[in-house]
Amino acid sequence: MARITRIEAHVRTADVPHGGTQGWVYLGVAGREFVLDAGGTADGTRTGDNWTFVLGEDANVRNPAYNDPRRPQLDTDDLDRYPVYVRFEPVGPDPAWCLDRVVVHVNGDTDHPHTFDNPDLADFGEDRRLWLGQEYGKQLYLKRYDN
């Protein structure tokens, strides 16, 4: 049992026509959902973007106090009780989003990091991308790969 102090979500949007989005991207970890929005710097959802969203210590997301795994305090025991996932809510005239890759590290800078990934997106290529949207599905669950 350990406190979750930092979550990093490495998100890469595919470099394909209409791959980016204005929609909302959410991350579910340890029974809670967070908004992945860096607001103003890079939002990680433009075509070809490769962005790391940080929640908790050294946060770089918009509204960091409301997207903090320390408020209320989350615990690593809950990583096995609840699924880790990315969820997308479409918005705007081009509502779909083409996700190329996502890897999540919980307490990655500690002696006991927890990593979540989807191996089907591990390589580049048309069959290694996932379109998310109202007509395609909106969630991707991630699998644990601890060291």
Side-chain angles (χ1 to χ4, degrees):
M1 174 167 96
R3 297 175 338 134
I4 295 176
T5 58
R6 181 180 169 104
I7 299 170
E8 296 177 8
H10 305 279
V11 176
R12 186 172 63 221
T13 296
D15 192 5
V16 297
H18 308 286
T21 185
Q22 296 173 349
W24 290 92
V25 178
Y26 299 90
L27 174 68
V29 174
R32 175 144 175 235
E33 194 168 75
F34 302 93
V35 176
L36 299 183
D37 180 4
T41 48
D43 62 12
T45 57
R46 291 187 299 248
T47 300
D49 271 356
N50 190 10
W51 186 254
T52 300
F53 297 93
V54 180
L55 307 159
E57 289 178 4
D58 302 318
N60 69 353
V61 294
R62 184 177 287 182
N63 299 313
Y66 298 105
N67 289 289
D68 191 331
R70 301 168 297 178
R71 296 181 185 164
Q73 182 63 63
L74 298 182
D75 193 273
T76 58
D77 281 352
D78 290 328
L79 294 174
D80 291 326
R81 290 186 179 102
Y82 304 101
V84 174
Y85 63 89
V86 172
R87 182 172 69 83
F88 173 68
E89 281 300 323
V91 172
D94 238 353
W97 177 40
C98 191
L99 177 62
D100 210 14
R101 184 89 166 117
V102 61
V103 178
V104 174
H105 299 287
V106 177
N107 292 349
D109 57 349
T110 67
D111 292 338
H112 303 288
H114 305 272
T115 300
F116 298 86
D117 191 1
N118 187 307
D120 294 331
L121 301 179
D123 295 319
F124 287 103
E126 189 172 325
D127 62 339
R128 297 292 187 161
R129 297 183 190 122
L130 180 64
W131 282 92
L132 297 171
Q134 193 67 35
E135 298 178 14
Y136 318 127
K138 300 185 206 176
Q139 262 179 256
L140 174 68
Y141 290 91
L142 304 176
K143 182 177 178 180
R144 180 193 283 267
Y145 288 92
D146 287 346
N147 299 332

